[in-house]
């Protein structure tokens, strides 16, 4: 997914630097992310385990602190690695990204994030505007990353916000005066297989800029990219194995995914297929003839 995102951003805005924060990559993963100048990799030390309130210990809490360490850049637009940017046939994606880059810089303590509702941990606590952590437009600064980590080392109370998530809980506390990203700036569609209506992705120019792929969400044990039925979906044939991805829009997402993967350098595309366990050449075995 990260290779797909990097390639899409390279195709849309090739002159803008693309940086991936990584920790403990395997050699195969490193090759996948760097082949074809997709990403510049920035090594981040392994995140320590931490805990907030009643949540289970996790390394997740600190992982976004490193974004504010990228002080060689004036501004950074963070996008989750499981984002699939829709092909930019008309230049709309580039225009929308440029619009975000042109948002007024409000200072290191005022990043732009998408917001959820206000929440409070207990009645006597302040309410915080809960934020989403999938997209952040920020101004790197070591003061912010230091404060980020300091809050984790010494939380102000056992459960300082009731905001959902792990990154989101800390980001909501740390940036109570963030600026809200307007949803129309970058049109996001969350896709979880059969659970979601996905007709929005159909058409020559879909009314969506990004499909947020929940790669750990399965439909009848079938991943979003097709699983054992991939070759059948791509060839328009019925699959002999259980296949819940039968709607035209689901087929379109499978096609878009594999079109992007096959645009990677051939050795990288083959490694992706290997690690996914995908077989695009099993039509005779997996598909019915009619």
């Amino acid at each position: 997914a990260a290779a797909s995102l990097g390639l899409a951003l390279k195709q849309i805005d090739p002159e803008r630097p693309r940086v991936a924060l990584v920790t403990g990559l395997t050699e195969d993963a490193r090759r996948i992310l760097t082949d074809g100048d997709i990403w510049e990799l920035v090594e981040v030390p392994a995140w320590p385990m931490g805990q907030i309130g009643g949540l289970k210990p996790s390394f997740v809490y600190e992982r976004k602190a490193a974004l504010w360490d990228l002080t060689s850049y004036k501004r950074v637009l963070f996008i989750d690695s499981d984002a699939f940017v829709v092909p930019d046939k008309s230049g709309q994606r580039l225009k929308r990204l440029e619009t975000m880059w042109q948002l007024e810089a409000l200072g290191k303590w005022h990043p732009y994030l998408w917001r959820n509702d206000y929440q409070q941990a207990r009645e006597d606590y302040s309410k915080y505007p809960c934020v989403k952590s999938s997209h952040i437009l920020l101004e790197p600064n070591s003061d912010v990353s230091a404060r980020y980590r300091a809050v984790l080392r010494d939380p102000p109370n056992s459960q300082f916000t009731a905001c959902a998530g792990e990154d989101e809980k800390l980001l909501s506390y740390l940036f109570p005066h963030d600026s809200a990203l307007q949803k129309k700036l970058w049109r996001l569609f969350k896709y979880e297989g059969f659970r979601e209506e996905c007709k929005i992705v159909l058409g020559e120019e879909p009314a969506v800029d990004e499909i947020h792929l929940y790669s750990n969400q399965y439909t009848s044990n079938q991943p979003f990219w097709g699983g054992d039925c991939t070759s059948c979906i791509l060839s328009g044939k019925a699959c002999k194995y259980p296949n819940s991805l039968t709607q035209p829009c689901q087929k379109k997402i499978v096609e878009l995914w594999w079109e992007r993967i096959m645009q990677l350098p051939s050795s990288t595309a083959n490694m992706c297929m290997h690690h996914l366990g995908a077989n695009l050449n099993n039509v005779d075995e997996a598909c019915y003839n009619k």
Side-chain angles (χ1 to χ4, degrees), residues 88-145:
D88 195 18
K89 296 181 179 179
S90 66
Q92 285 296 311
R93 247 55 79 208
L94 178 58
K95 290 179 182 178
R96 291 177 180 280
L97 285 174
E98 287 292 349
T99 299
M100 284 204 282
W101 283 116
Q102 291 168 13
L103 291 172
E104 181 183 1
L106 299 175
K108 60 187 179 184
W109 295 107
H110 300 275
Y112 287 86
L113 304 101
W114 272 316
R115 282 187 181 170
N116 284 324
D117 295 331
Y118 280 73
Q119 297 286 344
Q120 61 188 134
R122 290 204 306 260
E123 187 175 346
D124 55 334
Y125 290 176
S126 298
K127 282 192 173 183
Y128 290 93
C130 296
V131 301
K132 299 179 181 180
S133 65
S134 60
H135 301 71
I136 310 172
L137 179 61
L138 62 106
E139 299 170 53
N141 187 286
S142 56
D143 291 342
V144 178
S145 58

Side-chain angles (χ1 to χ4, degrees), residues 201-215:
V201 307
L202 296 175
E204 281 298 311
E205 186 57 56
V208 61
D209 300 302
E210 174 190 319
I211 303 171
H212 199 158
L213 298 169
Y214 285 78
S215 56

Side-chain angles (χ1 to χ4, degrees), residues 9-22:
L9 295 174
K10 179 181 178 180
Q11 292 171 341
I12 293 169
D13 194 1
E15 299 305 315
R16 196 175 296 279
R18 297 171 304 281
V19 173
L21 302 179
V22 299

